[in-house]
Amino acid sequence: MNDQFADRFSADHLFTRHLGRLLRDAHLRAHALAHEALPGGRHPRDWGVMAVLDQHGPLSQQRLGEMLGVNRSMMVGVIDGLEGSGLVERGRNPGDRRSYALELTDDGRGALERTSPEIFEMEGRLLRALSPSERERLAELLRTLLLGAARSR
């Protein structure tokens, strides 16, 4: 870490004591590293969509958006892009003929398998200053924060 970066995140600066700013900066850093890890200019959100479909699919577009916290309009564009790249396909939803069931194609599964190690390596780079127990604790605290915020809506 260079001195300018260290100075920027010194506890003496008011904005570094503001949790929202720290979360924002951590998100931006994670996003930048994920962009580096993904081939062909893919967005980190694409990997997230494919990972959820791999684990829980097939899913309706609405359910997928709910699980990821992505609004309908944005989800349509994301799925259109993934479908256009041959990574996701829309099929008829046998449980609801009015909607589509989204699932990974074989190419999508292959892309997920190829990029997942890069994503996890990127996460390791982001979190390398933390011990394994600190990483677990950070994840636990963030889950608690987000669940609490969701319940208070």
Side-chain angles (χ1 to χ4, degrees):
M1 179 182 316
N2 65 37
D3 289 335
Q4 180 184 14
F5 191 75
D7 287 345
R8 181 173 163 210
F9 289 97
S10 162
D12 295 335
H13 291 289
L14 176 63
F15 74 82
T16 61
R17 291 180 297 207
H18 186 271
L19 184 58
R21 174 62 188 241
L22 292 172
L23 290 169
R24 174 195 169 273
D25 287 350
H27 167 77
L28 291 174
R29 180 72 180 129
H31 195 267
L33 288 169
H35 260 293
E36 289 175 23
L38 294 172
R42 293 238 74 100
H43 194 280
R45 171 187 56 235
D46 296 344
W47 181 86
V49 166
M50 292 190 302
V52 169
L53 286 175
D54 186 55
Q55 186 172 13
H56 299 286
L59 293 169
S60 72
Q61 196 163 295
Q62 179 178 349
R63 179 68 184 130
L64 178 62
E66 290 168 357
M67 291 175 77
L68 292 168
V70 176
N71 72 46
R72 286 181 178 194
S73 298
M74 177 72 75
M75 187 54 68
V76 169
V78 171
I79 297 303
D80 284 350
L82 290 170
E83 185 178 41
S85 297
L87 303 174
V88 169
E89 63 186 1
R90 289 177 170 109
R92 284 285 163 206
N93 184 345
D96 182 356
R97 293 178 49 190
R98 297 167 295 164
S99 70
Y100 291 102
L102 304 171
E103 60 186 315
L104 288 179
T105 63
D106 289 340
D107 286 347
R109 272 185 283 291
L112 184 64
E113 288 173 16
R114 284 188 305 278
T115 57
S116 290
E118 299 294 326
I119 290 292
F120 293 121
E121 190 275 328
M122 171 281 307
E123 186 176 273
R125 284 175 45 206
L126 177 69
L127 299 173
R128 70 176 151 224
L130 302 177
S131 70
S133 63
E134 289 171 325
R135 291 176 188 198
E136 289 176 28
R137 183 69 178 139
L138 176 61
E140 179 184 327
L141 290 169
L142 290 171
R143 279 191 295 273
T144 301
L145 174 77
L146 294 171
L147 287 171
R151 285 187 192 122
S152 67
R153 287 184 194 173

